[in-house]
Amino acid sequence: MENKTFTISVYSENNVGLLNRISGIFLKRHINILSLNVSESEIENVSRFVIVVDTTEKWVQNIVGQIEKQVEVIKAFYHVDEETIFLESALFKIASNLLFDERQIQNIIKESHSEIVTVSRDFFVISKVGRRSEIEELYSNLKPFGIMQFVRSGRISVSKEKMEVTSLLLEELKS
């Protein structure tokens, strides 16, 4: 089996220590987490972890099974990239003088469909939402000018297929 990128979604109660136990499942198998995001879900008092890994389908099935054994976990799913709609976001802090002195910076911002979110005397901040490759391209275009700070979020994702997640999870919570 060949490695692929998988997005694992874990719906759980929001309890202390769960993230540590979930990351331990990956650690034991020597699988690196490429991206991790935790947020509220569409169900009140239920959190959703979105975890991105590069592994085989056999390993991801095993991992999802182990994650579902955690008491606080309601349900876990995995998908390949083609089955999901996903985005990341990034912020770039750049010296303000470059915005006016380097005309190319304005072109880079426009061509990358980014936006300036704030401008101050010393710096300005660019926001970019898109696929990781788009963010990496913007990073490489801005790097020669000097990036003061850079941060990228973890992947956020929804499945393309109708999953009726709410009804599935509510059934799991009742049992």
Side-chain angles (χ1 to χ4, degrees):
M1 289 186 133
E2 68 180 64
N3 279 16
K4 289 184 180 178
T5 300
F6 290 94
T7 301
I8 300 170
S9 296
V10 180
Y11 290 85
S12 73
E13 300 169 16
N14 192 7
N15 289 341
V16 174
L18 180 60
L19 176 58
N20 190 34
R21 289 194 307 280
I22 288 175
S23 65
I25 292 169
F26 293 91
L27 177 64
K28 284 182 210 170
R29 288 160 182 78
H30 302 282
I31 295 175
N32 189 37
I33 295 173
L34 302 176
S35 170
L36 171 67
N37 183 53
V38 183
S39 69
E40 297 173 340
S41 74
E42 59 274 18
I43 301 167
E44 192 174 337
N45 298 320
V46 174
S47 295
R48 181 177 180 201
F49 292 68
V50 177
I51 305 165
V52 180
V53 294
D54 186 45
T55 189
T56 64
E57 188 158 8
K58 180 181 178 192
W59 275 109
V60 82
Q61 287 171 348
N62 185 296
I63 289 166
V64 167
Q66 290 297 308
I67 289 171
E68 284 191 327
K69 289 180 182 177
Q70 300 298 311
V71 173
E72 303 90 342
V73 172
I74 302 162
K75 193 73 180 151
F77 306 92
Y78 72 90
H79 295 94
V80 293
D81 285 355
E82 296 77 27
E83 298 171 334
T84 63
I85 298 164
F86 58 92
L87 294 172
E88 295 181 7
S89 61
L91 295 174
F92 299 83
K93 182 177 173 184
I94 312 285
S96 283
N97 65 307
L98 294 172
L99 187 58
F100 307 105
D101 297 344
E102 295 287 345
R103 183 75 178 151
Q104 192 176 355
I105 292 274
Q106 292 179 27
N107 293 335
I108 291 169
I109 294 167
K110 185 177 179 180
E111 290 168 7
S112 67
H113 304 288
S114 302
E115 63 180 55
I116 297 173
V117 292
T118 191
V119 177
S120 77
R121 180 181 316 270
D122 300 321
F123 65 88
F124 67 102
V125 176
I126 301 168
S127 170
K128 171 67 181 158
V129 176
R131 298 221 173 201
R132 179 170 285 233
S133 59
E134 296 169 335
I135 292 169
E136 288 172 349
E137 181 181 350
L138 179 57
Y139 182 91
S140 27
N141 288 338
L142 292 172
K143 189 169 174 64
F145 298 98
I147 298 172
M148 297 169 74
Q149 289 183 35
F150 168 74
V151 66
R152 177 176 46 221
S153 73
R155 176 183 286 193
I156 56 173
S157 166
V158 293
S159 65
K160 289 181 180 177
E161 72 177 58
K162 184 177 178 182
M163 288 189 55
E164 300 288 341
V165 173
T166 304
S167 58
L168 283 171
L169 296 180
L170 290 175
E171 283 176 29
E172 291 282 333
L173 284 171
K174 289 177 187 174
S175 55

